[in-house]
Amino acid sequence: MPDLKKFFKKTSVSQPVEQTPEVPKGLWVKCPKCSEMVYKEDVVENHYVCPKCGGYFRIKAKTRMKMVLDPHSFEEWFTGIENTNPLDYPEYPQKVKALQEKTRLDEAVRIGLGTVDGQPVVIGACDARFLMASMGYVVGEKITRAFEEATVRRLPVVLFCCSGGARMQEGMVSLMQMAKTSAAIKAHSKAGLFYLPILTDPTTGGVTASFAMLGDVILAEPDALIGFAGPRVIQQTIGQKLPEGFQKSEFLLEHGMIDAIVTRDQLKATVSNLIRLHSKKPDYASFPQEWPGRKQFHEKKKGHKASASMSAWERVQTARSPKRPVALDYISLLFGDFMELHGDRTFRDDGAVIGGVAYLDGQPVTVIGIQKGRSTKDNLIRNFGMPSPEGYRKALRLMKQAEKFGRPIITFIDTPGAFCGIEAEERGQGEAIARNLMEMSDLTVPILSIVIGEGGSGGALALGVGNEVWMMENSTYTILSPEGFASILWKDSKKADEAAEVMKVTAAELKELGIIERVIPEESPACADNLEEIGEYLKIQIKRFLRRQAGKTKEQFAMERYERFRRM
């Protein structure tokens, strides 16, 4: 009988071992923000930004320079500077040597000469792979030499900053680099030259407290950690709980410490434009005295007279109209490549004051305006066009920058008055306005101030110390609101319409008093429909104003401004 058990005997069948797919080394990388694995080539093509979440990868100094420099234009400087070990710190020289071999870097910063869209620039980039780009003697020496050489060659400087701070292994020698680099930057600045630091993740400690925060314009990458004391130091030292987003670049922008956050895809264009703006000296004489083919247009405006049918109170109401064009409307219409710069470098960025650099038919200018909002939400951001102290301090910072680079200043005024809240008083509203009046009186560049809506009291005057002051026909310029005037003198704010007649607040009346030089005609109240026509006339007159400044000395601009107000 056959052995049936053999037919039913379990036989072992060898199963193929499941192979784990092997990923070629370096093909995928982990995002530092979302922790997802992403294809490296996609990351590189996306400027080393995660295509899934937008997180920024830390990159090498060499890569940073490639992002902004013209191909093959970089010439490295100041290699081979011998490092020191002032504390005789154990194995410090060996650590430096090992990092030099591993990273192929001379030290934690690369410095050299290159071009951005053909424009020569001294450029440097810190590299976090080398002791977290901490600043020791060699780093400080390289940066100092960079500014010294740039001063001699009269070139701008661009620095990509990142650092964990001072280099502990070098003790006080490291600390002294903060003062050394800052002094070199001051000499470069006194020579009227442009410095642009770009803050990347992380920028902390002694680097933040020296060369990283001393730029004429300060840019930052998104979501970069920037601060003097790092979050861990703050928490461990004083036990303070930190708010969400603390010390990120967005936090610094809101608090007035940096000018703008720029994404990597926009970086080269932004750097190139800023170098060009700060390298080109205005040529007022380049504006023609006449514009052929526009005689009829000019005569029409020249012959236009203020409508006698509108009362002073009606003009007050027209000046306050929410349909009236605001500062940004005029700036967008009249100027090209406007780049808004933010912050007072002290406390906050005030949304009620906007300002920056732009071109007027190819000539660099600084433009500043008091900005009202269009909607309730926008008005809250703009504080209904009522500047705080930090707004005036931001304006003054931009004016001082304009003076350094010889740019004319054009201001657009539209405010019911300076903000009068408790916090404004705490931060020195009166001092901020007074400081603007004093400093503007002595600026050595031409200033043109234009009242486009309400010109309310000292809050308006703080941007109105011009070589000439113009008013739109339906704007007003007042010692205070008609309601306030009536309330103080007549104890009845309801008599505001009568007060407006007594106060002489209209453009025509103030020109007759010698308070302003020009009335910009409005055949009908300014609005979106006639903005382009008004803007064309205004642009012609601005260029004529600048043409009249040709050949004047710096001292003349300040003296003429002093004499203008001295006559009043």
Side-chain angles (χ1 to χ4, degrees), residues 449-469:
S449 301
I450 307 171
V451 183
I452 58 173
E454 291 183 277
S457 192
L461 183 59
L463 292 186
V465 185
N467 292 79
E468 290 189 16
V469 178

Side-chain angles (χ1 to χ4, degrees), residues 547-558:
R547 180 69 177 79
R548 293 195 296 272
Q549 313 312 310
K552 293 182 181 179
T553 65
K554 293 180 178 181
E555 293 73 21
Q556 274 181 284
F557 295 134

Side-chain angles (χ1 to χ4, degrees), residues 420-433:
C420 58
I422 294 172
E423 54 269 47
E425 293 298 319
E426 287 176 337
R427 297 196 293 273
Q429 184 70 288
E431 190 279 339
I433 292 172

